[in-house]
């Protein structure tokens, strides 16, 4: 178990959805900590509350009760614009359906995440190209989403998520729409981002292929955390093992 | 990136863009034509007043416009006006409708304008043939070239009859058109009196006195002094008489209301079309806006994207609309009611287009304001 200071901390989160007779308690007192340099998987069956928890951790939804602390700051009582400001400063998102802008090319899709942060002009363009090269898309900079494969689109989405150097990357089913090869490639990329860039990565998934890349697996069922396990190092990927060892050595 | 995204969103669906642009274009052309007609009419109505070299106008009480002033001001009133402190000159002028008998048969109505150019109050401008000296010749008159056909004459040397007096065209003007479509006929003061004075009782009366002030005289002080001295008259500044004439022809007749109403209709139709297309474009891109929100963009960032879309639509639509409006303007130059476009009107139309598009963006902005960024996880 790591002793690092958490970048994101959820304490006793309760979330009620719907009203009246249709009210559902999606989360029933969930607590979770995310630390830098770790890839955490949040796994659970459909309807278990995974995505609701991800939305709350990502400051998109507000909890009914409980507290979220992001980079040491409580989100309690913050309005939509303040939560948006926290998101753009601290969180990168990766979505199941990539959510790229079809009218923008790869560089522009990444630049827009910098643009909302106020980073414009040549430095933003250079940074967008840099992260696209990092994710192996240096040869696809000017391609539009409809000219990219699913795996390439997801890598553009990863580049967009990390372009502004957020401390947390939240991924919603990042491999669900990908074939096996691309799924592994994207997970390896997320693991590398966690290790090399010392970010905290949380991926919601029910894809067992992703297990080999995780430092930690949190299981959720019926709105409650039912289990948490740390993964043995390098189960499936020698590359990841090396990266993990390097990071732990550096932290020691 | 805001402009890039707005531009790409706009051009992503070319058919919808075309519908938007047609809406704006239609609106701009309609408003430009209506306001162009309004301006053209206003200029025609006030042209004669504007061209005079006078500070004040003395009219009979309640005179409605330049053409409808009556023939009631007396020489005695002129002398009273001349004796008023601050008055330098009082120039008599005659203006009235009369019947023009065409040499080939038939008749039409003309507006006779009688004044002596030597007095410095007004003289026919844009003379393209003949001079004021030619107009001073016996029976001589000047008419506008554009009305030759309506008057049933050929040009210089043609003769006709006004009321019971014979006249001969000695000079031609260009571009002096009449809103009433009764052509102006310029002639010296006394000849006009003779032509209009069929019963011989009004041989020395006038329709208006054009008042010129001494240098340094206070306009309002002199105006009030004249008004006090001259019973049964109105003493008006040039602007007041201009407004009264406009009110008479444009608003009491309903012509101006129809033109302004048409322009408002154009604005309304344009706004509705642009609003509808912007709203549907926003709805189509709603997932992208939700993604932007999830990425942490502020509400104002998204509003700017929509406003930029509206602004781009406005600029393109305005440019196309103005091209067509200017073409119509060019084609109308020889019509009885030529359209007028001024830099001020062109700028106002641009501002109006931007305003119309910004208003149109409201429904789209309201739509994105309600976006729940959590929807990005449910796709």
């Amino acid at each position: 178990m790591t002793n690092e200071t958490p970048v994101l901390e959820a304490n006793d989160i309760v979330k009620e959805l719907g009203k009246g007779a249709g009210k559902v308690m999606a989360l029933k007192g969930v607590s979770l900590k995310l630390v830098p340099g770790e890839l955490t998987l949040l796994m659970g069956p459909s309807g278990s509350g995974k995505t609701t928890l991800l939305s709350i951790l990502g400051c998109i939804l507000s909890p009914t009760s409980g507290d979220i602390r992001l980079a040491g700051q409580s989100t309690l009582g913050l309005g939509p614009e303040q939560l948006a400001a926290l998101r753009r400063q601290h969180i990168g998102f990766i979505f199941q359906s990539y959510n790229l802008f079809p009218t923008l090319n790869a560089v522009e899709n990444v630049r827009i995440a910098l643009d909302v942060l106020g980073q414009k002009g040549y430095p933003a363009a250079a940074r967008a190209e840099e992260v696209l090269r990092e994710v192996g898309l240096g040869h696809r900079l000017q391609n539009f989403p409809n000219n990219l494969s699913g795996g390439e689109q997801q890598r553009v989405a990863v580049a967009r998520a990390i372009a502004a150097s957020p401390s947390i990357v939240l991924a919603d089913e990042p491999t669900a729409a990908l074939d096996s090869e691309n799924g592994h490639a994207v997970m390896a990329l997320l693991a590398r981002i966690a290790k090399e860039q010392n970010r905290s990565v949380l991926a919601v998934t029910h894809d067992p292929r992703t297990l080999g890349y995780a430092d930690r697996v949190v299981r959720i069922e019926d709105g409650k955390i039912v289990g948490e396990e740390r993964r043995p190092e390098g189960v499936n990927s020698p590359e990841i093992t090396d990266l993990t060892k390097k990071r732990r050595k550096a932290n020691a | 990136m805001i402009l890039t995204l707005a531009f790409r969103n706009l051009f992503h669906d070319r058919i919808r863009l075309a519908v938007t642009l047609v809406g704006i274009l239609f609106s701009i052309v309609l408003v430009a034509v209506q306001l162009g007609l309004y301006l053209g009419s206003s200029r025609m109505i006030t042209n004669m007043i504007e061209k005079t070299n006078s500070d004040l106008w003395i009219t009979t009480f309640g005179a409605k416009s330049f053409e409808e002033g009556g023939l009631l001001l007396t020489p005695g009133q002129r002398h009273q006006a001349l004796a008023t402190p601050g008055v330098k000159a009082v120039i008599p002028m005659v203006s009235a409708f009369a019947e023009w008998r065409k040499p080939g048969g038939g008749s039409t109505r003309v507006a006779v304008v009688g004044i002596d150019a030597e007095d410095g109050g007004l003289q026919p401008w844009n003379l393209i043939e003949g001079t004021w000296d030619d107009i001073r010749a016996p029976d001589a008159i000047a008419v506008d070239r554009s009305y030759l056909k309506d008057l049933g004459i050929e040009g210089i040397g043609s003769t006709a009859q006004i009321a019971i007096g014979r006249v001969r065209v000695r000079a031609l003007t260009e571009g002096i058109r009449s809103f009433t479509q009764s052509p102006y006929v310029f002639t010296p003061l006394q000849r006009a009196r003779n032509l209009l004075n069929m019963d011989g009782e009004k041989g020395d009366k006038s329709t208006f006195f054009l008042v010129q002030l001494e240098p340094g005289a206070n306009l309002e002080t002199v105006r009030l002094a004249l008004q006090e001295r001259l019973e049964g008259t109105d003493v008006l500044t040039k602007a007041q008489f201009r407004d009264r004439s406009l009110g008479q022809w444009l608003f009491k007749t309903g012509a101006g209301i129809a033109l302004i109403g048409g322009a408002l209709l154009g604005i309304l139709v344009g706004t509705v079309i642009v609003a509808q297309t912007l709203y549907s474009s926003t709805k189509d891109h709603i997932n992208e806006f939700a993604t932007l929100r999830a990425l942490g963009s502020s509400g104002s960032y998204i509003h700017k994207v929509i406003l930029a879309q509206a602004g781009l639509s406005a600029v393109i639509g305005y440019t196309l609309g103005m091209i067509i409006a200017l073409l119509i303007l060019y084609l109308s130059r020889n019509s009885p009611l030529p359209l007028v476009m001024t830099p001020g009107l062109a700028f106002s139309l641009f501002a109006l287009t931007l305003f119309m598009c910004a208003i149109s963006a409201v429904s789209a902005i309201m739509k994105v304001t309600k976006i729940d960024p959590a929807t990005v996880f449910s796709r």
Side-chain angles (χ1 to χ4, degrees), chain A residues 77-135:
Chain A
L78 296 185
E81 290 301 322
Q82 291 161 306
L83 290 173
L86 272 182
R87 284 200 295 278
R88 65 178 172 262
Q89 281 159 15
H90 297 290
I91 303 171
F93 282 100
I94 299 164
F95 308 103
Q96 181 178 344
S97 309
Y98 325 130
N99 290 33
L100 298 180
F101 294 80
T103 55
L104 302 180
N105 65 27
V107 172
E108 291 164 342
N109 260 290
V110 177
R111 273 187 68 183
I112 201 149
L114 299 168
D115 201 60
V116 298
L117 256 176
Q119 295 177 21
K120 297 174 191 298
Y122 176 77
R127 172 66 183 154
E129 289 184 17
E130 182 191 342
V131 285
L132 280 166
R133 288 199 175 89
E134 259 179 52
V135 300

Side-chain angles (χ1 to χ4, degrees), chain B residues 205-283:
Chain B
K205 293 192 175 174
S206 304
T207 314
F208 305 112
F209 292 140
L210 306 184
V211 180
Q212 295 173 343
L213 302 192
E214 295 282 6
N218 182 280
L219 184 73
E220 189 57 16
T221 306
V222 177
R223 191 185 75 77
L224 290 172
L226 284 168
Q227 187 66 78
E228 202 171 313
R229 281 179 179 222
L230 303 170
E231 274 182 32
T233 67
D234 281 334
V235 183
L236 308 169
T237 62
K238 208 186 246 191
Q240 286 170 332
F241 191 42
R242 188 187 58 211
D243 293 346
R244 186 182 280 193
S245 293
L246 283 175
Q248 167 65 16
W249 290 118
L250 285 182
F251 296 104
K252 287 193 178 152
T253 63
I257 292 166
L259 292 173
I260 290 172
L264 288 174
L265 189 69
I267 295 167
L268 184 69
V269 169
T271 305
V272 169
I273 294 177
V274 179
Q276 202 281 327
T277 51
L278 260 182
Y279 182 81
S280 77
S281 166
T282 303
K283 214 172 156 194

Side-chain angles (χ1 to χ4, degrees), chain B residues 40-59:
Chain B
S41 305
S42 302
R43 276 199 184 175
M44 276 194 210
I45 292 164
T46 60
N47 216 0
M48 207 63 84
I49 300 168
E50 295 290 356
K51 289 287 180 183
T52 58
N53 177 24
S54 63
D55 300 305
L56 293 168
W57 283 66
I58 299 174
T59 75

